[in-house]
Amino acid sequence: MFTGRKLLIATKHQKEKIIAPLIEKAIGALCFISTAFDTDSLGTFSGEIERKDNALTTLRNKCLLGFQNTNCDLVIASEGSFGAHPTLFFASANEEMIMLKDFKNDIEIVARELSLETNSKGITIEFEKDLIEFAQNIQFPAHGIILKSSEKNPLKIRKDFDSLVELLEQYNRLKSDHSSIYAETDMRAHRNPTRMKVIEKVTYSLIEKIKNCCPNCKTPGFDVVSAQFGLPCALCSLPTRSTLSHLYQCKKCGFQQEKMFPRGIQVEDPTYCDNCNP
């Protein structure tokens, strides 16, 4: 379905360096990028433009933007979010989402990756030595830094520093007009190798989903739509909160199939049983 077709990677931050080789090898599409549109118009990590929609809607809009401006009907886009981990409350996390949108065949395939591998940080700086320490902690200059006149609604934003000398020079210029400066890790993909690794992982997940075709109509993207809990405890046999099965559904023809024991085990360790270990 995809072999030999042109595939647009909707990005302006060099994500194609990671995504294109993997996708071309896996599905035989011919990847390219375009400057005919600006994905930053949907929101920026540096703060100039606020992202108005959630990550999934933003992904769809990126793909649509690419399609409308290049007339390429096969598009991939990715979108990242950063914040507290949903269950490890004191840990920071990077959630990456990636979408393949085939406008010709009306197919949408989405993959997600939640990772603790992130250096997303921000700090208010009053002294030059604190900025130097922050730069060392986030592995600058391999990872970028953004300077802002304030954390919220900054009037001035400075970025794309390639050396400590340049960073300190811009810091002192901003500091001459403000009592403190807000410094944060640059989370744009081309300025953050740690994030790029997570984008690589989610691309592999997308490839797995693309290759998982519907048993009924052979459409790519036969994917999990719900999970059934109740894996029995190995000791007392009562149902636990662990996953018993996954329900797969084709977005094209609606065919459904339940797959038992997705974790490869048929009973759960009593450690995770509410009856044995309340």
Side-chain angles (χ1 to χ4, degrees), residues 21-49:
L22 300 178
I23 290 294
E24 289 183 344
K25 182 180 179 180
I27 67 174
L30 307 174
C31 297
F32 72 101
I33 58 172
S34 173
T35 57
F37 61 99
D38 185 0
T39 53
D40 275 357
S41 64
L42 301 174
T44 63
F45 283 120
S46 45
E48 293 92 343
I49 301 174

Side-chain angles (χ1 to χ4, degrees), residues 19 23 55-56 59-60 63 75-81 94-101 108-115 198-212 221-224 251:
I19 298 172
I23 290 294
L56 184 59
L59 269 182
R60 290 196 181 104
C63 291
V75 187
I76 280 181
S78 80
E79 184 72 10
S81 301
N94 170 198
E95 183 181 42
E96 291 292 337
M97 298 179 65
I98 189 168
M99 175 182 290
L100 172 74
K101 190 82 170 176
E108 178 182 289
I109 305 173
V110 179
R112 291 177 172 84
E113 180 74 27
L114 182 64
S115 176
V198 184
I199 293 173
E200 181 180 34
K201 287 183 180 180
V202 79
T203 303
Y204 277 117
S205 296
L206 178 67
I207 290 169
E208 286 184 15
K209 292 193 175 190
I210 293 171
K211 290 188 172 183
N212 193 25
F222 191 56
D223 200 7
V224 177
K251 295 181 180 178

Side-chain angles (χ1 to χ4, degrees), residues 165-234:
V165 170
E166 187 180 0
L167 174 67
L168 294 177
E169 178 184 345
Q170 290 297 322
Y171 164 76
N172 285 312
R173 286 184 180 180
L174 285 175
K175 189 69 165 54
S176 63
D177 296 323
H178 305 274
S179 59
S180 63
I181 299 300
Y182 190 74
E184 63 185 22
T185 315
D186 192 339
M187 301 312 299
R188 294 175 298 166
H190 68 300
R191 301 292 296 187
N192 199 296
T194 298
R195 184 184 172 208
M196 277 291 202
K197 291 179 182 178
V198 184
I199 293 173
E200 181 180 34
K201 287 183 180 180
V202 79
T203 303
Y204 277 117
S205 296
L206 178 67
I207 290 169
E208 286 184 15
K209 292 193 175 190
I210 293 171
K211 290 188 172 183
N212 193 25
C213 297
C214 172
N216 183 57
C217 71
K218 309 305 179 186
T219 298
F222 191 56
D223 200 7
V224 177
V225 292
S226 65
Q228 177 67 43
F229 303 108
L231 190 68
C233 172

Side-chain angles (χ1 to χ4, degrees), residues 38-82:
D38 185 0
T39 53
D40 275 357
S41 64
L42 301 174
T44 63
F45 283 120
S46 45
E48 293 92 343
I49 301 174
E50 182 181 357
R51 190 177 78 182
K52 296 180 180 180
D53 299 306
N54 60 36
L56 184 59
T57 300
T58 301
L59 269 182
R60 290 196 181 104
N61 288 337
K62 278 187 179 181
C63 291
L64 183 60
L65 199 61
F67 173 54
Q68 291 173 336
N69 285 276
T70 67
N71 205 33
C72 180
D73 56 19
L74 190 60
V75 187
I76 280 181
S78 80
E79 184 72 10
S81 301
F82 303 89

